[in-house]
Amino acid sequence: MRNLSRRSFFGVTALTTAALTAGRAAAADDGHVPAIVVGSGYGAAVSALRLGEAGVRTLVLEMGQAWTTPGPDGRVHCDMLNPDRRSMWFKDRTEAPVNGVLFLDLANRPIPRYAGVLDRVNFPDMGVYVGRGVGGGSLVNGGMAVVPDRAYFEQVLPNVDAAEMYERYFPLAQRMLRVNSIPAPYFEGSDYYQYARLSRTLAGRAGYGTRFLPNVYSFDYMAREERGEVPKSALGTEVLYGNNHGKFSLDKGYLAQAVATGNVTIAPLHRVTRVQATASGYALTVRQITAEGAPVAEKHLTCDHLFLGAGSLGSTELLLRARETGDLPDLSDEVGEGWGPNGNVMAARNNHLLEPTGFKQSAIPVLAIEDPARDVIAEIAPVPAGIETYVSLYLAITKNPNRGRFTYDAATDRAVLHWTAAQAEPAVAAARGLFDDINDANNTTYRYDVFANRQPFAADFCYHPLGGAVLGRATDDHGRVRGYRRLYVTDGALVPGSLGVNPFVTITALAERNIARVLAEDLA
Ligand code: FAE
């Protein structure tokens, strides 16, 4: 590889976990690699592993860091109560989803600009939270690993063989991601889930049932945290800015296994800025930076097969830019379409003084209230503030049918999301219906001091960006981008805006399904 030094590649593998160190630099030295994967979230990680296993030398380009080196405090990640520069991606101040309590901006503080692990990409009426680093969203997310309702999946992705997904690829994804469920006795007995048990009781008084949500956080580890046997992570206010322990994120699973094949190399702090077609494949322009943001190099790489796994925002932006600047003019008009926030709405309620939520709260949510009539599931989220706040917080996932779209803005060279506050209204109305019922049944009220918008509902940010290069429209039914050969989308951009549940199990399973077909037909 001409410009990309072997040291930076070996450096990554040396820095990462024990499993990652097993990998050998697999990329060519002449600037050409058989396969490049952009990003290292769920779709990217699946593609990298399966390519590596098939013997295809593969380079993974990730704009964020490899989160493996402890900071001065001995920890790789900071917690939610003490955010430092590791928390957010080149921001002057943290932008936590929950602003504070009693109108005090307790959660946010100034930070030095740095390649932190969580980004909030702000568009006019929507802030999109995404993970940055080797492992993508798996580093920051709540770990809830939920398979969608089959009837809704069939409606959302009608061209996908649902039987194959539910019999083969969802179980495969669950195994690979090490999904586990909280043992009921632990849940019922832990001080750290009082907040969830209280919300269950309040929902029950209004006639609503709850269901447990599986997770990739080890509940065995959590129980040991509570017994004081191991360092606290979920029980130590860690999530959102990374977990130092307990969570089986992609860097520990798919990506470690990919590197261990000996065919996959991961280059962190490498951002792909441009994709052009060559006679037989693709040419990429890549900017490498330091974790402080200083430029290191601009690199030019070529590959035969290009897999875009930069997430709904990242993959869509690369394709839109390529189409609009004439680099890939034959991309379809569908690129940029079909975006949605998975109907995300957060809500905050107030509780009676005699019904506290508990000042100890596990950062990993495990229970959701079900409202089948309104098509809402409301995940009971923690407020691990270390003090009693009397706040019940929820992440509601609704089936809002509205969709946004991206266009390319030449002046800033960025994709711009077109999504208005009005488009979020059906989601807010559905969530409000549920929480009005719960408040009525319990004689409780909403909280106005929790979100930046000073409303009890926040639909101006999301955790679940989906769409932009929708399966069967911008791509064929297996993620091959229309208009070009050997170009693939592997991530959440494929899902048209809504799934009804948290998306990463579906993104993983779809990526497994698609790469199996691509390996059999395009790389055989
Ligand atoms: P993603 O994981 O976003 O990975 C994309 C990667 O590409 C990132 O590492 C980027 O840094 C990188 N990238 C982007 N652009 C470029 C570029 N130009 N060059 C190089 N690299 C680039 O993609 N989902 C659940 O199912 N359960 C949960 O409990 C849950 N909780 C969440 C909590 C939070 C705070 C957040 C932010 C998300 C949560 N999600 C959850 C959503 C989930 O993490 C998300 O759907 C997946 O991570 C999306 O996977 P993708 O493969 O699409």
Side-chain angles (χ1 to χ4, degrees), residues 27 33 66 79-80 83 109 166 214 229 232 285-286 295 307 310 325-326 340 357 361 366-367 405 482 500 502 511:
V33 197
D79 62 55
M80 286 191 284
R109 61 183 61 176
Y166 281 78
E229 296 168 7
K232 283 191 170 48
T285 307
V286 183
F307 295 83
T325 58
T357 58
Q361 300 202 4
V366 293
L367 199 69
R405 60 192 297 265
R482 291 202 201 281
N502 320 60

Side-chain angles (χ1 to χ4, degrees), residues 153-175:
F153 178 86
E154 289 176 2
Q155 187 184 322
V156 170
L157 290 166
N159 296 347
V160 175
D161 179 351
E164 188 185 44
M165 288 294 289
Y166 281 78
E167 282 155 30
R168 182 161 175 201
Y169 291 112
F170 278 122
L172 173 63
Q174 288 170 310
R175 270 198 313 279

Side-chain angles (χ1 to χ4, degrees), residues 123 317 320-321 324-325 406-418:
F123 301 105
E317 179 170 87
L320 259 187
R321 182 184 292 132
E324 298 304 310
T325 58
F406 293 94
T407 57
Y408 173 68
D409 177 37
T412 57
D413 191 31
R414 301 306 302 254
V416 179
L417 176 64
H418 300 268

Side-chain angles (χ1 to χ4, degrees), residues 39 42-43 62-63 132 136-137 141-144 272 310 463 491-492 502-504:
Y42 292 90
E62 165 57 53
M63 66 191 271
R132 297 270 181 243
N141 68 32
M144 285 172 276
V272 177
Y463 298 142
D491 55 30
N502 320 60
F504 75 61

Side-chain angles (χ1 to χ4, degrees), residues 37-45 61-65 89 97 118-119 128-146 214-215 239-241 247 250 267 270-274 286 309-315 317-318 321 344 365 379 395 462-466 490-494 501-508:
V37 176
V38 184
S40 61
Y42 292 90
L61 298 167
E62 165 57 53
M63 66 191 271
Q65 302 195 47
W89 180 258
L118 180 71
D119 198 359
V128 181
Y129 284 99
V130 291
R132 297 270 181 243
V134 174
S138 78
L139 299 167
V140 298
N141 68 32
M144 285 172 276
V146 191
N215 206 291
V239 76
L240 201 65
Y241 303 139
K247 188 158 80 175
L250 293 168
H270 282 65
R271 175 165 168 249
V272 177
T273 58
R274 187 171 181 188
V286 183
S312 164
L313 264 51
S315 294
E317 179 170 87
L318 285 170
R321 182 184 292 132
N344 282 188
E379 294 167 350
L395 171 63
C462 75
Y463 298 142
H464 301 165
L466 294 171
T490 68
D491 55 30
L494 293 172
V501 297
N502 320 60
F504 75 61
V505 176
T506 304
I507 295 170
T508 304

